[in-house]
Amino acid sequence: MSEQKAKSEVVSQLVRLARRERLSYDDFAYVCQQARKKLKLKKTKREYRLPHLLTAEELTRFFKAVRDGGQVQHEIILQLLMFTAVRVGELVKIEVSDLDLAACKIFVDQGKGSKDRYLLFPQAFALVLRAHLAAHPDNRFLFETQRRGAYTVRRIQQIVQQYRLNAGLSDAVHPHLFRHQMLTFLTGEKLSDAQIQLLSGHASKKSLEVYQHLSLDAVESAYQQAVKRLDLGP
């Protein structure tokens, strides 16, 4: 048996022991920490792959296919995904009461990591959202299906795939892609890392000190100026 395999077996035995003795999480974490030190185990580095992005031409084709589909709510959903870089799991939970149309902000209640935060959207998009709400005055959620319930993440994924096919795009397109697209765009518009992290909701220990001196108000002007140059087609 190789040395690495022997160490892995020890770890497996520790897991079985912890289950049998019903160790608490803290006790189990302590045992694992000590075992790693004793065995000189190192955590494998996580590999990060750069996301595939659509070209400007592909992005235009995609949103043209959305407009040609004639489903206004679908168009608003997908534009909001792009403009706000919101996670799709957060998008489907947005309620009408979370919107502040005057301030062009959306409150995200208990987003990823159980963190509350705000999203920004373009000032011109406030008119679109206002019209959407006027057309659906009884909505609880910002976006609701014909059965008057919130969309599921799976349904949003299906909608994106349908428009990908309609646009004739061969590469994979998924809701999270629009988050990557927007954050990449804002990076190209020279927003700072700290500003983008605040807009995206990314948590980084390295940026905590910066966050203490940076508010959403300080980012809003740069965001609004940048998004005016975002072209999703006619």
Side-chain angles (χ1 to χ4, degrees):
M1 183 182 293
S2 67
E3 182 180 355
Q4 185 61 38
K5 194 170 183 179
K7 290 179 179 180
S8 297
E9 179 59 29
V10 171
V11 173
S12 298
Q13 290 176 4
L14 283 174
V15 172
R16 290 194 291 270
L17 175 64
R19 288 174 178 169
R20 186 173 70 242
E21 298 299 325
R22 297 183 179 179
L23 295 181
S24 68
Y25 176 82
D26 290 338
D27 289 339
F28 179 62
Y30 175 78
V31 170
C32 289
Q33 182 184 51
Q34 295 305 309
R36 287 195 192 98
K37 289 181 179 179
K38 189 72 175 177
L39 296 173
K40 297 181 179 179
L41 293 176
K42 295 182 179 180
K43 290 184 178 180
T44 57
K45 291 185 178 180
R46 184 177 177 180
E47 293 186 1
Y48 291 93
R49 294 184 178 180
L50 293 176
H52 169 76
L53 299 178
L54 298 178
T55 65
E57 187 270 337
E58 289 172 331
L59 196 62
T60 299
R61 279 170 55 193
F62 179 86
F63 278 98
K64 182 180 184 302
V66 176
R67 284 188 294 275
D68 291 346
Q71 294 286 337
V72 177
Q73 181 164 249
H74 289 179
E75 185 175 358
I76 298 173
I77 288 172
L78 297 174
Q79 286 182 340
L80 196 66
L81 274 173
M82 183 73 184
F83 287 139
T84 64
V86 66
R87 299 178 179 93
V88 66
E90 298 170 337
L91 174 93
V92 297
K93 296 177 183 177
I94 295 174
E95 298 187 10
V96 173
S97 59
D98 296 327
L99 267 69
D100 186 340
L101 293 176
C104 298
K105 295 177 183 177
I106 300 175
F107 177 67
V108 175
D109 184 10
Q110 295 290 288
K112 185 175 181 181
S114 298
K115 295 181 177 67
D116 296 340
R117 64 189 179 93
Y118 280 94
L119 305 170
L120 294 177
F121 57 84
Q123 293 167 346
F125 201 64
L127 295 175
V128 175
L129 292 176
R130 193 181 303 277
H132 170 74
L133 295 179
H136 304 85
D138 298 325
N139 273 19
R140 172 191 169 190
F141 294 96
L142 177 57
F143 301 113
E144 294 188 357
T145 66
Q146 293 181 346
R147 296 184 179 182
R148 301 303 308 280
Y151 277 82
T152 63
V153 170
R154 177 58 181 158
R155 180 61 187 134
I156 301 296
Q157 291 170 339
Q158 291 172 341
I159 289 171
V160 170
Q161 287 306 309
Q162 184 58 56
Y163 289 120
R164 177 189 71 82
L165 294 174
N166 292 353
L169 300 177
S170 57
D171 291 332
V173 181
H174 48 82
H176 205 69
L177 173 65
F178 299 107
R179 178 174 167 83
H180 292 315
Q181 291 275 166
M182 189 61 185
L183 297 181
T184 301
F185 169 77
L186 293 176
T187 299
E189 290 294 316
K190 308 304 181 183
L191 270 71
S192 69
D193 289 346
Q195 288 175 319
I196 292 174
Q197 284 171 345
L198 188 60
L199 290 170
S200 68
H202 280 140
S204 171
K205 291 182 179 180
K206 294 181 180 179
S207 65
L208 289 180
E209 293 182 2
V210 177
Y211 280 133
Q212 293 173 3
H213 305 287
L214 188 65
S215 69
L216 197 64
D217 291 338
V219 180
E220 184 174 6
S221 177
Y223 168 83
Q224 293 294 352
Q225 290 300 315
V227 79
K228 287 179 182 178
R229 295 185 285 275
L230 180 62
D231 183 13
L232 297 183

